[in-house]
Amino acid sequence: VRCRLIDAHASPLHWDRATVVHPRSLEIFESLGILGPFLAAGVKQYRARLHSDGALLGDIDLALCGSRHGFNLGLSEEVTESILTAYLERHGGGVERGARLVDLIDRTDGFVAVIEHDGATEPVPVQWVVGCDGLRSTARELAGIDLEGHDITEPWAVFDVTLDGWPQSYEANYAYLDEIPVILTALPGRRWRVYLHPTSEESDLVADARATLERYAPGVRFDDVANPTRFHCHTKVAERFRAGRVLIAGDAAHVCSPSQGHGMNSGLQDAHNLAWKLALVVHGHADAALLDSYEAERRPVAQMITASGDAAEHANALRDPAARRARDTELRAAFADSASRH
């Protein structure tokens, strides 16, 4: 399908904070014939381990997930973008950078999309518009689609690091549900991406993370710290994913807590669901009503991951010692049962 892909960024980001590629996303990459470059670039994460109060709560074996790829893949998001861009270019496509959508003029057979580039505007006749333009999506706003939900009050932070003297496996993810919650995701080169809830807006992020990890890996050293970043998150889902000839996907359609790694993956899976349906419609092989199945299938997923993300945020935010002990008891019981562990 001939398309025009615009990106407001003048160049690809040198670093982006999403890390974990889920098995379902790997299946999508395999269907496109590009799984090999991903496996070559990333590190397989076979397990996820949850801890609290200095002890292990439970261990998740990702081989149980039901996919032929029984692991997550640790890979920084800008690398994922570069592999997908190369795939697009091999098919004759490309990314037009430094260009943004500023208006949509409705016509019976589509729109005139007004694109701004270097201060000049260009009217472009288009049949369909797919907005993958994030939380503050212009496409969503021009289509009159509301984004409903709430902000997550606890701020997040992230940085990359080498943990010298790390005693555990490098092919896993680790979550520490302590007073300062910390999540470690494995990256290539025995690097880690560290996500945490910082103690304050001005706190030393490394000191915050060290205060938690010291209980589990005494003496571990934080070397070569890179990309320290603070960010805020939201729990929001668009009221609808389609308004006539405008469709939205990814963060334009839903945003959630980063604690379970669903953000980038759910966006990839939105796009995969929508693309083949839109292709059939554009080529005249299916009625446009087929596109209604996109929202019917993907919006419930968005509602599920935002709800589970809120539950994770609530569990992380517990400060009362008795409430934390009750949470940990419940988690241990869940991990002790094979069905709930799955």
Side-chain angles (χ1 to χ4, degrees):
V1 173
R2 195 164 59 89
C3 64
R4 186 163 178 177
L5 176 58
I6 64 172
D7 189 331
H9 291 291
S11 60
L13 298 179
H14 81 280
W15 178 88
D16 210 351
R17 65 176 180 253
T19 311
V20 177
V21 182
H22 287 167
R24 174 60 185 148
S25 297
L26 295 174
E27 291 172 354
I28 290 171
F29 297 150
E30 185 175 34
S31 75
L32 298 175
I34 55 174
L35 180 63
F38 279 96
L39 296 181
V43 58
K44 294 178 181 179
Q45 304 164 350
Y46 291 104
R47 312 189 80 81
R49 294 188 171 127
L50 274 69
H51 308 75
S52 177
D53 197 26
L56 178 68
L57 294 177
D59 186 89
I60 301 171
D61 179 0
L62 291 171
L64 300 175
C65 72
S67 171
R68 61 187 290 170
H69 310 298
F71 51 86
N72 290 328
L73 195 70
L75 189 67
S76 195
E77 187 174 5
E78 74 278 1
V79 182
T80 294
E81 180 182 350
S82 70
I83 295 172
L84 290 173
T85 301
Y87 172 76
L88 175 67
E89 291 171 347
R90 287 195 300 274
H91 285 269
V95 181
E96 182 181 339
R97 299 197 177 275
R100 67 177 67 242
L101 177 70
V102 295
D103 199 8
L104 288 174
I105 302 168
D106 201 355
R107 306 192 315 185
T108 56
D109 60 342
F111 295 97
V112 172
V114 181
I115 297 174
E116 183 181 75
H117 192 289
D118 292 333
T121 57
E122 175 191 3
V124 182
V126 294
Q127 284 185 291
W128 298 90
V129 175
V130 181
C132 306
D133 47 344
L135 172 65
R136 296 169 182 84
S137 167
T138 301
R140 186 188 66 237
E141 291 176 1
L142 290 172
I145 300 174
D146 289 334
L147 191 64
E148 302 168 340
H150 61 269
D151 299 331
I152 294 173
T153 55
E154 290 273 348
W156 279 85
V158 62
F159 60 87
D160 292 348
V161 72
T162 296
L163 295 177
D164 190 26
W166 180 250
Q168 304 294 329
S169 167
Y170 286 89
E171 294 182 316
N173 292 331
Y174 300 88
Y176 302 92
L177 309 183
D178 290 80
E179 189 169 346
I180 305 175
V182 173
I183 299 172
L184 302 181
T185 66
L187 289 171
R190 295 198 164 190
R191 295 277 286 170
W192 297 94
R193 184 150 295 168
V194 182
Y195 298 88
L196 70 151
H197 282 301
T199 55
S200 73
E201 293 183 2
E202 299 82 21
S203 64
D204 182 323
L205 299 182
V206 173
D208 282 345
R210 184 185 287 115
T212 292
L213 291 184
E214 186 68 28
R215 302 185 68 182
Y216 302 92
V220 69
R221 295 194 305 276
F222 288 64
D223 294 334
D224 193 16
V225 175
N227 305 308
T229 305
R230 297 172 187 267
F231 59 99
H232 290 270
C233 296
H234 317 268
T235 297
K236 298 184 178 183
V237 179
E239 58 170 344
R240 50 200 168 117
F241 286 12
R242 179 188 178 193
R245 289 177 174 267
V246 179
L247 300 112
I248 55 175
D251 284 4
H254 47 80
V255 285
C256 63
S257 163
S259 59
Q260 298 169 320
H262 285 304
M264 179 187 69
N265 288 281
S266 59
L268 289 165
Q269 292 157 31
D270 287 346
H272 182 258
N273 183 292
L274 175 58
W276 68 266
K277 296 172 181 177
L278 189 56
L280 288 177
V281 172
V282 167
H283 288 302
H285 301 309
D287 187 84
L290 174 64
L291 297 173
D292 292 334
S293 69
Y294 165 63
E295 177 183 316
E297 292 169 0
R298 293 304 302 170
R299 194 169 184 272
V301 175
Q303 292 172 313
M304 179 178 67
I305 63 173
T306 51
S308 65
D310 268 357
E313 290 287 338
H314 174 72
N316 281 337
L318 293 175
R319 296 292 180 263
D320 177 69
R324 295 168 67 84
R325 286 194 297 272
R327 175 202 65 191
D328 294 350
T329 298
E330 187 175 342
L331 283 170
R332 284 194 182 91
F335 280 109
D337 176 78
S338 61
S340 59
R341 184 168 65 248
H342 178 267

